[in-house]
Amino acid sequence: MKTPKRLEPLVQNGLVDEVLRQLMSGKEAVVYVVRCGDDVRCAKVYKEANQRSFKQNAAYQEGRKVRGSRDARAMEKGSRYGRKMAEEVWQTAEVDALHRLAAAGVRVPTPYNCFEGVLLMELVTDAAGHAAPRLNDVVLSHTVALAYHAMLIKQVVLMLCAGVIHGDLSEYNILVDADGPVIIDLPQAVDAAGNNSAFSMLERDVGNLATYFGQFAPELLNTDYAFEIWSHYEKGELHPDVVLTGRARRSEKKADVRGLMREIDSVKEEELNRRRFQLEED
């Protein structure tokens, strides 16, 4: 096929020898199958911000590292330079997450290079060597649904052990190769320790899995793995081999708001007294 304009720099720089075909077009990128020497890989071409249906919500940006304070200020102000920096952060987030997760043993495509807004990575294939289908396109039995769900919960745990939460996990960004589910599409991945919305994103990811697999195995609809996983994480007890039941109990006790406010007032009063005492000494 004719080389798309966005892939021309990769061909010119010898990173890609031939563009074979378009594989898919999603809300954030267009993916092509390309030949790199003797290897067949895929090239993910990120769409411009105004063409993406997945917006760079501030909740996903929180906790992400930028090169310097100047870049951070520019991104906050939304200047032209700031928007350019935000695009770079958005695109490199997936590369960073893929390297981090692959090292942690998570089943994700192997990343090879990121150049001019294009990510070169492994082409995930099925047993016949064809591009692996999305989970949404695979017919599941009750037994396979339970097995795949268990495998993905394991992957979620491995991700969180590496400090990462997918943030948009669903049947549409999971591929199925000969050995089971492979997680893809990670530009919105968040740092669990640096994001105030981390638990809600984990809860949504795990909830999406339960809802989808619950069509084939209804018993999964009554599980609560997210709270159980997060409880272990908060206590510093989460590890790859943690035993989960999916039946964690959430506290029904209402928050003692008045007690909390009394503690806050007490701390404020102590601080005022400390300052008065310091002024008197001076």
Side-chain angles (χ1 to χ4, degrees):
M1 66 174 286
K2 182 181 177 181
T3 303
K5 187 174 181 180
R6 291 282 302 280
L7 290 177
E8 287 177 358
L10 283 81
V11 174
Q12 293 166 1
N13 283 271
L15 297 174
V16 169
D17 293 304
E18 183 183 4
V19 181
L20 302 177
R21 62 187 175 89
Q22 180 177 315
L23 180 61
M24 62 164 288
S25 179
K27 57 190 176 183
E28 64 193 28
V30 181
V31 180
Y32 297 90
V33 178
V34 300
R35 182 175 62 82
C36 304
D38 295 330
D39 298 318
V40 176
R41 297 174 177 171
C42 64
K44 183 173 184 177
V45 181
Y46 292 99
K47 294 180 179 179
E48 300 294 336
N50 59 1
Q51 297 177 335
R52 288 197 299 260
S53 59
F54 192 103
K55 303 302 180 183
Q56 295 184 36
N57 190 295
Y60 293 95
Q61 302 298 319
E62 183 184 355
R64 287 188 176 175
K65 296 179 180 178
V66 295
R67 288 180 298 191
S69 58
R70 176 175 176 265
D71 292 346
R73 288 195 300 270
M75 288 170 61
E76 288 176 2
K77 292 179 180 178
S79 64
R80 180 181 298 179
Y81 176 77
R83 291 194 297 272
K84 181 176 180 292
M85 287 299 100
E87 277 299 292
E88 287 187 13
V89 170
W90 180 257
Q91 293 169 10
T92 58
E94 179 159 31
V95 183
D96 294 342
L98 286 172
H99 281 293
R100 192 171 174 181
L101 296 177
V106 180
R107 302 198 77 225
V108 294
T110 302
Y112 296 112
N113 209 326
C114 189
F115 185 77
E116 298 289 334
V118 179
L119 171 60
L120 281 176
M121 58 184 174
E122 173 191 4
L123 175 66
V124 181
T125 58
D126 61 15
H130 302 132
R134 291 187 304 182
L135 177 60
N136 185 59
D137 297 322
V138 178
V139 178
L140 303 176
S141 66
H142 177 269
T143 301
V144 172
L146 287 175
Y148 280 5
H149 180 266
M151 291 173 71
L152 284 163
I153 290 296
K154 174 77 171 180
Q155 297 302 301
V156 169
V157 169
L158 286 174
M159 290 176 71
L160 189 53
C161 285
V164 178
I165 294 173
H166 189 286
D168 190 35
L169 191 61
S170 75
E171 64 271 23
Y172 298 103
N173 44 38
I174 297 170
L175 301 179
V176 180
D177 70 4
D179 298 314
V182 178
I183 296 172
I184 62 171
D185 294 340
L186 288 143
Q188 71 294 315
V190 300
D191 188 301
N195 193 299
N196 289 320
S197 302
F199 172 63
S200 63
M201 291 184 186
L202 175 72
E203 191 172 35
R204 185 175 61 196
D205 284 353
V206 174
N208 286 342
L209 295 178
T211 299
Y212 181 72
F213 287 110
Q215 300 174 84
F216 312 99
E219 59 266 40
L220 294 174
L221 296 173
N222 297 318
T223 57
D224 192 2
Y225 283 99
F227 184 75
E228 186 176 14
I229 292 169
W230 190 256
S231 295
H232 284 292
Y233 174 74
E234 282 192 313
K235 296 174 185 175
E237 298 173 353
L238 188 67
H239 57 86
D241 298 317
V242 66
V243 177
L244 301 173
T245 65
R247 297 189 296 272
R249 287 187 177 183
R250 300 197 184 211
S251 175
E252 300 294 332
K253 185 179 179 181
K254 293 183 179 179
D256 184 6
V257 178
R258 290 183 178 178
L260 179 60
M261 293 306 297
R262 283 196 299 270
E263 288 185 21
I264 293 174
D265 290 339
S266 177
V267 171
K268 287 181 178 179
E269 187 177 354
E270 286 181 9
E271 178 63 16
L272 286 172
N273 290 333
R274 186 188 66 79
R275 290 182 181 179
R276 289 195 191 102
F277 180 75
Q278 188 174 18
L279 286 173
E280 289 174 359
E281 283 194 331
D282 295 341

